[in-house]
Amino acid sequence: MSFGPLEPGMPPRRRSRWWWLGPLASIVIFGASLVVLWYIVREIEPGELANAFANASLRQLGLACGFTALSYLLLTGYDALALKRLGLSIPYRTTALASFTSYSVSFTLGFPIVTGGTVRYWIYSPKGVRASEVASLTVIAGLTFWLGLGAILCVSLFYATPSVAMLARTSPLVVQAVGAAVAAGTIGYLVWIASGERTIRVRGWNLPLPGLGITLGQMFLGAAEVCAAAAVLFVLLPGGHGIDYPTFLAVYVFACLVGIASHAPGGLGVFEATMLVALSRLPFEPVLGALLIFRIIYYILPFILALVLLALNEMVRRIRRHER
């Protein structure tokens, strides 16, 4: 299967009779996004929200917004690396739009392969990217996230073993054993990738996996993005908590994993509950307020912005189509 763009002189691809499924899925996801957003906002108590923002300083809010912007900026690199592996040349402004909107929507709705893949197809398809290529892109981008998550979890578990063991109420040997298992799995994958070209084959669909060079780039990029996302919540915690950043990273990654395993959109409720249990030594109300602000800054505001950008992008596309 070739993932490259059309060669000069090649006839244009014929439109499939199922071409309307893509726009229909986009409309459904857009509508579902509005419904989910309404339910999320409706569950927020105005009093709790006001108290949370009142207890947070302008410095904390500014740093949280800055780390959020950095996290989403690094997320655009996920798509950029995947496009490079697939041999597709797409302008960065398109890549940035597709990455930001797809992650903002999938973080809130969950099921990233479906929701994120559909948003990407909506944006990339006018550039000549096929559905199979979008699926490959989504898988490779997801692999970047998991590699980064594994790298951060491994380093933080070994670096802050005593602190993590105390928060988890377990033995340092258990913490080190988990870190060793993650390290073994990561190293094993790197060795497997380095030993030759690897391809995932599913029912006739072939996805050549990135080589060692791009895989290492994925790992470092994913690790940097996870660190930036964790920093959003870390700077919002009440002062004097006494938790160092490496220890907090391990807690954050574990809470993310539990949220992902729950299949709840954005780990809603599950992520917060896990963090509250892990940080139970800290005052409950300030931590709950920090989690609420984190949910708003990192999830809800980017989600709203993504819906606006998707609507504007569709309006511009229709205007240009009409002008032609």
Side-chain angles (χ1 to χ4, degrees):
M1 175 182 292
S2 174
F3 292 103
L6 286 173
E7 298 293 335
M10 288 182 65
R13 296 173 178 140
R14 294 180 59 187
R15 173 181 284 188
S16 168
R17 61 177 180 172
W18 304 107
W19 65 270
W20 51 271
L21 287 177
L24 177 61
S26 300
I27 293 172
V28 170
I29 287 180
F30 191 81
S33 299
L34 294 177
V35 173
V36 170
L37 178 63
W38 164 251
Y39 276 100
I40 290 175
V41 173
R42 194 178 67 170
E43 292 298 318
I44 296 176
E45 292 291 338
E48 292 181 1
L49 181 60
N51 290 335
F53 275 95
N55 293 330
S57 67
L58 289 177
R59 178 178 178 274
Q60 285 177 301
L61 295 176
L63 286 172
C65 291
F67 281 121
T68 297
L70 176 60
S71 174
Y72 279 92
L73 177 64
L74 291 171
L75 282 171
T76 67
Y78 287 22
D79 278 34
L81 279 178
L83 289 168
K84 179 179 179 181
R85 175 63 186 92
L86 298 175
L88 298 171
S89 179
I90 303 294
Y92 178 73
R93 63 180 180 273
T94 303
T95 302
L97 176 64
S99 174
F100 173 74
T101 54
S102 64
Y103 282 112
S104 298
V105 170
S106 64
F107 283 169
T108 302
L109 296 185
F111 307 104
I113 295 294
V114 177
T115 56
T118 301
V119 173
R120 282 190 176 96
Y121 182 73
W122 192 0
I123 295 173
Y124 283 130
S125 59
K127 301 296 182 181
V129 181
R130 295 173 295 187
S132 60
E133 293 166 336
V134 171
S136 300
L137 189 158
T138 303
V139 171
I140 294 175
L143 184 60
T144 302
F145 169 77
W146 284 106
L147 286 170
L149 207 65
I152 289 300
L153 182 61
C154 177
V155 171
S156 59
L157 287 179
F158 279 113
Y159 183 84
T161 299
S163 300
V164 173
M166 182 180 66
L167 287 176
R169 298 176 177 81
T170 188
S171 166
L173 290 177
V174 174
V175 174
Q176 291 177 339
V178 174
V182 175
T186 303
I187 294 173
Y189 178 78
L190 293 176
V191 171
W192 181 62
I193 286 294
S195 62
E197 292 190 4
R198 302 297 180 180
T199 302
I200 295 177
R201 295 180 176 85
V202 180
R203 296 182 179 180
W205 173 61
N206 296 333
L207 171 60
L209 294 173
L212 181 61
I214 294 182
T215 299
L216 290 174
Q218 287 179 296
M219 184 177 296
F220 286 114
L221 177 63
E225 188 278 318
V226 171
C227 287
V232 178
L233 179 55
F234 185 73
V235 299
L236 292 171
L237 291 177
H241 51 69
I243 299 177
D244 58 28
Y245 185 60
T247 302
F248 177 81
L249 266 178
V251 174
Y252 177 86
V253 170
F254 178 74
C256 287
L257 290 172
V258 174
I260 293 170
S262 72
H263 296 293
L268 184 61
V270 180
F271 173 83
E272 284 81 359
T274 305
M275 292 299 301
L276 286 170
V277 171
L279 303 177
S280 59
R281 299 176 185 272
L282 305 183
F284 177 80
E285 292 295 338
V287 174
L288 182 61
L291 287 166
L292 180 58
I293 298 175
F294 170 75
R295 178 67 61 175
I296 291 172
I297 291 178
Y298 193 79
Y299 287 96
I300 296 180
L301 293 183
F303 181 53
I304 294 173
L305 179 58
L307 295 182
V308 172
L309 291 176
L310 287 172
L312 291 175
N313 180 68
E314 185 62 20
M315 288 173 58
V316 171
R317 186 185 299 178
R318 289 181 179 275
I319 292 172
R320 289 178 177 174
R321 190 182 303 152
H322 180 72
E323 290 176 348
R324 293 175 185 173

